[in-house]
Amino acid sequence: MEDFTAFVSWPSAPLTNRLVLDALSSVTPPPSIIDSLPKDISNAPRRLLQWATYDALDHDLTFSHDPTSKVLSSSYVIRKALIRKHFLSRCIHNYLTKHPESTLSRGVPKTWELELSFADELDELWSDDLYDLSEEIEKGNPLKWWILKPGMADRGMGLRLFHTKEDLEAIFQEFEQNSDSEPEDEEAGDEGGRDTAVVTSQLRHFVIQEYLAKPLLLDPEEIPLNGATKPAVRDLHGHKFHLRVYCVASGAIKVYMYDRILALFSAVPYKHPSKQSGEGKNVGELDLAAHLTNTSLQQERGEEGVRLLDELIGCHIVSAPHAPLRRQPLPPRAMGVAMDPETMRAARKNQAELAQETQYPTLTPEDIENLKHQVSEVLAETFKAAVEMSVHFQVCLSPLPNAFELYGIDFVVTHDAGKFQVNLLEVNSEPAIELTGPRLTWILEDLFKAIAKTCVEPFFSKEPAPVDWKVGGTRENLRLSLDMQVRGAQGCCHIRMSRVQRVGSRAANDDNMSSNTSNVLFDDIFTINAIDKEGKKFDRVSRLYAHSKNYDMELTLDYNIELFPLQSGQSFALALASSLSRIPQGVSGAVEDEEKDRDVWRPDAKGRRGLDDDYEYVMYGKVYRFDGGSAEVVTAYASFGGLLMSLTGSHRHMTNIVLGDPVFILLRR
């Protein structure tokens, strides 16, 4: 491996800083370390590793394609589809519409998105975005609960359980009160160390997930710490826990799951929220300690609730149906001699104690491997979903060949009918690894060295990286979960070079960076509300009326029913594109291909593969009219050889649609 320089900066995470330096010292030869970058990037080292917090990275260097330089960075720039809960929900919904057979269909709780600033806005949402949730709540099932999560908060902030519409309204009213008044002193708002209040007006985006009421329950005290005594089976208590999985994404794109998974337990034994509310408590009075397993909300416990998943082999499954242990018979009477009364009393007491014992099944090595396999599959599908999100809306995961990133991904395991199922909760960038605790710091040291070995060394090495690592294989305790080649990843790197803007803090890049890395002008998933509601006018043409949940768009479209039959209630993907070429217009190196790309769609299949290969029905036409219904809402009209389209919604989603420009419309069921 050739020499290189490493920029390392984790000012608010000293443990991470140490782990990175230790990992880099293990590579051969070790790099030169710097703790700051020159203001003029032209003076930056030509062979540079940026392994630093997102805010400290120079993203211009990441995008640089100067052939004389080689820069590797420890974060992708655009990855909101993963790390924002509402965007993650949206991208998974889109992906499942296209791939209903995906493991995500059973590996993610049912989720709703909402955007609001004040509690009184809920009234409108119940009849719109939350309509189907409203129907579920009104069924009044006492075992059905839901959990509210802010889309951009972390470490358990803003998490609330609710059972009725009135509960949810009370939660948002509580948040409003928090925004109107501040505690008189800093500690007043943190009573008990578990204050999770948020200010609604500063967040706006929330998700609601169906509460998973049948979690796998174990007792962490079966793995005693600090010389504690292991409890008897009859003294076990079921605790809820979640899995913290460390995952590394590299290049464009491979995804690795770190095999040493953590299990983070709640502070108190689990009790279904309906039982707590049955004790006369209001939703606002529910003790969340039985339900929230975030270590950041239990810092006073230290590492008491942290175990390795592999350590749980042999633990009793307290959530499983159990049966009394078989009673031992009383001691037989001696030959013709009555049993001593004291002996008899002792025997009966022992029998009564045994009757209280219960027997539970235990976790086996096969159970643990099954959980890891499920996690690996869900990870792969989640990253596929994020990559497939439209670049146009800048909420995708945009892989770069010269970047890698560590994520902390949380799962909860449900236990129903004897089967285990992992469920994805959220994806965290720059995870709070310091909360792992000193006992298990060694796994973090191993993880960071594995990242250096797998992501850093091959990038700066003269030798090509080994290609015999297959999906499912494990090296350096990293299991390869996904290995896919994202088309145009290198091109994306090139085109964005000129569009990165330094907006205040560099952290603004992920939210503000404009992108023109695709010929797709607009895309979304639509559900048909009606077909030919004003009567059918042509034999082979129908007019559909559809609504998109993601961007709240209204669509009216004429289409050929023989070529593309549709039904009311059916969902389909729609895209508008300026060209069918997969190569963005204006990308360096693509000019010589433009003539070929004009004929990218050819019925004899001899042309270049274009966007049309991903869709079932394509029309070509022109945008002939724009109407501004209000300052916010606009309507674009297009004609495709006499078949008409109108698209109405926020102007922010149609900024790339230009009056008078030719346009392709692409549809896929």
Side-chain angles (χ1 to χ4, degrees), residues 79-94 113 151-152 205-207 385-386 389 393-396 510-511 550-551 653:
R79 70 272 209 263
K80 287 191 292 185
L82 289 173
I83 65 175
R84 303 279 194 262
K85 297 181 186 69
H86 52 300
F87 287 145
L88 178 62
S89 166
R90 188 177 303 170
C91 87
I92 289 176
H93 171 79
N94 287 358
E113 295 177 49
M152 296 174 62
H205 295 281
F206 293 83
V207 296
M389 267 300 267
F393 295 112
Q394 303 168 39
V395 295
C396 62
D510 194 31
D511 288 321
N550 290 334
Y551 300 106
H653 303 320

Side-chain angles (χ1 to χ4, degrees), residues 39-174:
K39 293 183 179 180
D40 184 354
I41 64 172
S42 63
N43 295 326
R46 310 312 295 170
R47 297 175 58 80
L48 176 67
L49 166 67
Q50 298 188 95
W51 199 340
T53 181
Y54 184 91
D55 291 354
L57 295 175
D58 191 313
H59 300 293
D60 287 351
L61 285 173
T62 306
F63 291 136
S64 173
H65 56 283
D66 183 344
T68 65
S69 68
K70 200 165 191 180
V71 177
L72 176 66
S73 300
S74 63
S75 175
Y76 297 109
V77 179
I78 301 176
R79 70 272 209 263
K80 287 191 292 185
L82 289 173
I83 65 175
R84 303 279 194 262
K85 297 181 186 69
H86 52 300
F87 287 145
L88 178 62
S89 166
R90 188 177 303 170
C91 87
I92 289 176
H93 171 79
N94 287 358
Y95 187 75
L96 285 176
T97 301
K98 306 171 189 175
H99 310 282
E101 77 290 346
S102 168
T103 186
L104 295 179
S105 63
R106 58 184 179 276
V108 178
K110 190 173 182 181
T111 306
W112 294 262
E113 295 177 49
L114 64 157
E115 180 180 351
L116 81 171
S117 299
F118 302 101
D120 57 10
E121 297 175 23
L122 273 173
D123 292 338
E124 184 177 345
L125 290 174
W126 288 126
S127 58
D128 192 358
D129 292 357
L130 301 181
Y131 178 77
D132 51 344
L133 174 61
S134 174
E135 288 187 325
E136 284 286 330
I137 292 177
E138 289 174 356
K139 291 177 182 178
N141 185 339
L143 298 180
K144 279 276 191 178
W145 284 67
W146 291 268
I147 185 166
L148 174 73
K149 301 179 179 181
M152 296 174 62
D154 56 8
R155 303 197 178 195
M157 302 307 296
L159 298 186
R160 293 291 187 273
L161 296 175
F162 69 94
H163 180 57
T164 66
K165 294 181 180 179
E166 292 74 20
D167 292 341
L168 185 59
E169 184 175 354
I171 290 170
F172 280 111
Q173 288 174 347
E174 171 207 344

Side-chain angles (χ1 to χ4, degrees), residues 36 44 92 114 160 230 242 269 293 331 359 386 408 465 496 597 616:
S36 63
I92 289 176
L114 64 157
R160 293 291 187 273
K230 182 177 180 178
H242 79 264
T293 54
Q359 56 183 7
R496 290 196 196 99
D597 290 336
E616 301 174 78

